[in-house]
Amino acid sequence: MEKDRKETPVSPILGKQSVSLQKPVYMIDSASIVGKKEGEGPLGDLFDLVGEDDMFGAQTWEDAESTLQKEALGTALRKAGWKAQEVRYLFAGDLLGQEIATSFGLVNYELPLFGLYGACSTCGLSLTLASMIISGGFADKAACVTSSHFASAEKEFRFPLAYGNQRPLSATWTVTGSGAFLLGAEKTGKARAKITGLTPGKIVDYGLKDSMNMGACMAPAAADTIEQHLKDFGRQPDYYDKIITGDLGKVGQTVLIDLLNKKGIDISGQHIDCGIEIFDAGEQDTHAGGSGCGCSAVTLSAYVLKMLEEGVWKRVLFAPTGALLSKTSFNEGQNVPGIAHGVVLESPV
């Protein structure tokens, strides 16, 4: 009698830097909390909570950002009907030095924490790592949280608000907001989306140094990740309903499309950018658009997942972008390298 043959497991490793999840990871629920200006934008009615005061009852801007994270995770847990103790691991980060918004905002949840820094790509970074942990069988439930706050980021990376400096048209407006996402190995009841593929990005440095033109600084990294993703998976741009970057804004969008066109890749029919979607640049005077960790996170939760959940879009490539600078590197005259992480999100229906 012929012995039963064991099936060779399919490797999740794909191409040069991608991962194909043989079993999808489910986005069970999410939450988005934003400030007053974001609530006045085109997506205002979609957010879970809009603050009337950007201090959110705190005494400092940094503490206000911590409050954003605490409330975002709490809201997501309530919406999903989860208890905090059910979450195996927490993946979170922010823009501030030593990630103080995360440390002080999430301390009372008493969950094992992976503190992450990917600049404004942190939402994609957290979803990537949490998905691999769950898909690998090391956790059944995980939470991803990130945030930014206009006032705390301006202090950290640009100028004190009281200085009243002029902003060039290439500048973006840091989003005040926090997004929280609950990921699970199983679809128990409802789910907002499923994660089926990942393309972690690498650092790309084109030698740009203008911190007031973050879109141009980050666009090369977005182009690199998108190109590699399509190559690794053997796909064309029209495989996706949308290819979504995090916070390139109008300037960065133009650079991204031009860079990919030179490689023979046309994403102009699919591309949207969270930084463009979240504000009405003309009416709200946000110049090139929105930016910050909270930009892609709240737009993903409020808008992108809604479209997937309702089946309007079947699949998207979500590729938030980050500018890897600090006030120290900037003051020392260093370049502003970029990074982008690609996450394939599909409709659960």
Side-chain angles (χ1 to χ4, degrees):
M1 179 181 285
E2 194 174 314
K3 292 184 178 180
D4 292 337
R5 294 180 180 178
K6 293 184 178 180
E7 292 186 7
T8 303
V10 179
S11 173
I13 301 172
L14 198 64
K16 185 178 179 181
Q17 64 196 65
S18 296
V19 175
S20 177
L21 300 180
Q22 304 306 312
K23 183 180 180 183
V25 173
Y26 290 95
M27 186 90 72
I28 303 301
D29 220 322
S30 67
S32 55
I33 297 179
V34 299
K36 188 172 184 293
K37 190 178 187 75
E38 291 71 22
E40 294 169 347
L43 306 181
D45 292 339
L46 303 181
F47 300 120
D48 290 295
L49 177 64
V50 178
E52 296 181 1
D53 175 9
D54 284 356
M55 289 298 289
F56 292 92
Q59 298 299 311
T60 66
W61 297 121
E62 290 74 17
D63 194 28
E65 188 173 341
S66 291
T67 301
L68 280 171
Q69 286 209 18
K70 179 176 67 176
E71 293 300 323
L73 180 54
T75 301
L77 290 169
R78 287 192 295 273
K79 289 173 66 178
W82 286 13
K83 295 180 180 179
Q85 297 89 335
E86 296 179 57
V87 177
R88 180 74 174 184
Y89 296 121
L90 184 58
F91 297 79
D94 56 82
L95 290 175
L96 305 183
Q98 288 73 53
E99 297 179 349
I100 58 172
T102 297
S103 300
F104 293 105
L106 303 179
V107 59
N108 290 333
Y109 284 100
E110 298 183 341
L111 293 170
L113 170 69
F114 291 91
L116 307 176
Y117 184 81
C120 301
S121 73
T122 298
C123 180
L125 175 60
S126 63
L127 293 174
T128 295
L129 294 174
S131 295
M132 288 195 285
I133 288 282
I134 292 173
S135 182
F138 301 103
D140 57 350
K141 293 180 179 180
C144 302
V145 188
T146 190
S147 66
S148 57
H149 194 296
F150 174 79
S152 63
E154 288 294 302
K155 286 172 59 179
E156 182 84 12
F157 293 102
R158 296 190 178 101
F159 299 97
L161 296 180
Y163 182 69
N165 62 297
Q166 283 189 304
R167 302 162 58 85
L169 294 178
S170 61
T172 49
W173 188 278
T174 303
V175 165
T176 297
S178 178
F181 306 89
L182 303 181
L183 273 55
E186 303 293 337
K187 182 185 177 184
T188 54
K190 68 169 187 174
R192 302 204 70 190
K194 58 184 179 182
I195 298 172
T196 59
L198 308 162
T199 303
K202 59 179 184 285
I203 300 169
V204 179
D205 184 358
Y206 271 35
L208 301 174
K209 298 185 177 184
D210 187 359
S211 68
M212 290 291 181
N213 190 358
M214 291 292 197
C217 294
M218 296 185 291
D224 184 85
T225 297
I226 292 169
E227 179 189 8
Q228 192 62 53
H229 172 85
L230 295 173
K231 187 179 297 183
D232 287 350
F233 281 88
R235 295 170 180 170
Q236 296 297 318
D238 60 6
Y239 179 82
Y240 295 102
D241 293 297
K242 297 295 177 183
I243 295 175
I244 306 167
T245 49
D247 50 354
L248 298 182
K250 293 182 178 178
V251 176
Q253 181 186 54
T254 300
V255 177
L256 170 65
I257 291 173
D258 286 349
L259 287 173
L260 287 175
N261 277 337
K262 290 180 180 179
K263 299 291 184 73
I265 301 170
D266 183 6
I267 66 167
S268 58
Q270 288 78 33
H271 183 256
I272 63 172
D273 183 75
C274 297
I276 296 175
E277 298 296 319
I278 196 168
F279 292 125
D280 183 323
E283 291 293 325
Q284 295 183 279
D285 192 27
T286 52
H287 296 2
S291 62
C293 288
C295 181
S296 60
V298 300
T299 304
L300 172 63
S301 176
Y303 177 48
V304 178
L305 293 183
K306 179 178 185 294
M307 300 295 276
L308 289 168
E309 190 177 24
E310 296 176 355
V312 178
W313 298 338
K314 298 301 182 184
R315 65 181 68 89
V316 302
L317 174 60
F318 176 63
T321 45
L324 302 176
L325 83 162
S326 72
K327 57 185 177 184
T328 300
S329 67
F330 175 75
N331 288 329
E332 291 178 349
Q334 296 290 332
N335 299 341
V336 182
I339 196 165
H341 301 291
V343 180
V344 180
L345 294 160
E346 298 189 17
S347 174
V349 297

